[in-house]
Amino acid sequence: MNTYLVLGGTGKTGRRVADRLRADGRTVRIASRTSGDVPFDLADPGTWAAALDGVAGVYVVEPDPYPGGDPATRGSVPGFVAAAGAAGVRRLVLLSAPGGSQAGTPLWDDEQAVRDSGADWTILRPTWFSQNFSEAFFLPGVLGGELALPTGDGRTPFVDALDIADVAVSALTGADRHAGQTYDLTGPRAIGFGEAADLIGRATGRDVRYADVTPEVFVEQQVAAGLPAHAAQLLAGLLTFVRDGSAAAVSDGVEKALGRPPRRFEDYVTEAAAAGAWS
């Protein structure tokens, strides 16, 4: 059993997990409704058995961890995790988030299911991804020259998706010491969005400014740009945790898991700029 199933295999962490597994000589099976290696729909239990057949470990991603997501997949992860355990999967690595510690949330339900699966499990709770500046939420602002966010002077220790992938692969394929561990994953220091904008601007030669706005203004701007209202409100709520200082804590999870310090945000910016992320 040298095959590993990766949910979310085209996403920021999933594709990096898949790349590292392949580089390590492992067979990777991407699970996706549209472009995977095997027909798979998290909302359709009839597709699970074929995806899990002969699989040693699974990288599990909750597609809708917060309110307002796709109701078709809501609550599917616990059932899938139970099926994986029953199919003889030896290791499960769940991508959760700091909110996974809150009872009654989808992530909390997922974490409990992983713990009860019968497989060796590891839970990852990363903070904001560095790659959000080059692959997701904050990219339009960088390209447009202004990051208008409701974060005030708040700081957060952005974590590199490469570190998340390294921890995930080590837990899927490596030492048994990862079994039963929950790792809070952050970068080495908390920085503000103003500093992040400055670092990206210096690396790219772009004029990238940070502007503090109210949550209401942020939601209006995001909706005007095409983001659904519920998603804009959710994102605004998460960003206000940065504003009030609730997202500033630095964790040693990467070093505990890998025996090395986490990548710096500065290194991410240099590598992303060299790769043409903001060209």
Side-chain angles (χ1 to χ4, degrees):
M1 295 177 69
N2 194 38
T3 299
Y4 292 84
L5 181 68
V6 179
L7 275 59
T10 60
K12 285 190 289 295
T13 62
R15 75 172 186 272
R16 290 174 169 90
V17 169
D19 288 345
R20 275 156 166 67
L21 286 169
R22 292 189 186 103
D24 196 33
R26 316 283 178 162
T27 301
V28 175
R29 186 179 296 163
I30 302 297
S32 171
R33 280 186 288 186
T34 57
S35 58
D37 299 316
V38 61
F40 179 84
D41 187 341
L42 191 58
D44 180 4
T47 66
W48 297 351
L52 290 167
D53 184 39
V55 165
V58 183
Y59 181 63
V60 182
V61 177
E62 166 61 67
D64 297 300
Y66 301 107
D70 182 357
T73 56
R74 176 70 66 198
S76 297
V77 167
F80 171 76
V81 165
V89 171
R90 296 196 302 267
R91 295 191 177 187
L92 296 171
V93 175
L94 172 68
L95 180 68
S96 185
S101 61
Q102 299 175 9
T105 65
L107 287 172
W108 188 87
D109 293 339
D110 296 350
E111 290 192 6
Q112 301 314 303
V114 166
R115 292 187 177 100
D116 294 339
S117 65
D120 288 342
W121 57 266
T122 307
I123 294 170
L124 312 183
R125 292 178 179 166
T127 187
W128 289 90
F129 298 177
S130 299
Q131 280 73 13
N132 286 336
F133 290 93
S134 53
E135 301 176 21
F137 313 117
F138 309 134
L139 177 58
V142 173
L143 296 178
E146 182 177 83
L147 284 166
L149 302 168
T151 50
D153 296 325
R155 297 171 176 267
T156 196
F158 298 102
V159 63
D160 198 309
L162 292 171
D163 283 338
I164 300 170
D166 284 346
V167 175
V169 170
S170 183
L172 283 169
T173 67
D176 290 339
R177 63 186 177 82
H178 296 299
Q181 296 295 315
T182 297
Y183 293 119
D184 296 317
L185 305 179
T186 74
R189 69 183 183 94
I191 68 172
F193 280 85
E195 182 178 357
D198 289 342
L199 288 168
I200 294 170
R202 287 200 296 269
T204 61
R206 288 178 170 273
D207 181 15
V208 184
R209 303 173 303 281
Y210 165 67
D212 178 34
V213 297
T214 66
E216 293 77 16
V217 168
F218 174 79
V219 170
E220 290 175 2
Q221 291 175 341
Q222 295 301 305
V223 170
L227 193 67
H230 74 268
Q233 291 163 357
L234 169 61
L235 186 55
L238 294 174
L239 287 167
T240 58
F241 285 118
V242 178
R243 186 186 198 94
D244 66 20
S246 299
V250 175
S251 171
D252 62 355
V254 172
E255 190 152 11
K256 277 185 176 179
L258 301 177
R260 64 161 175 81
R263 292 177 172 87
R264 304 182 308 158
F265 187 80
E266 293 88 339
D267 297 330
Y268 151 73
V269 169
T270 298
E271 293 169 7
W278 299 294
S279 298

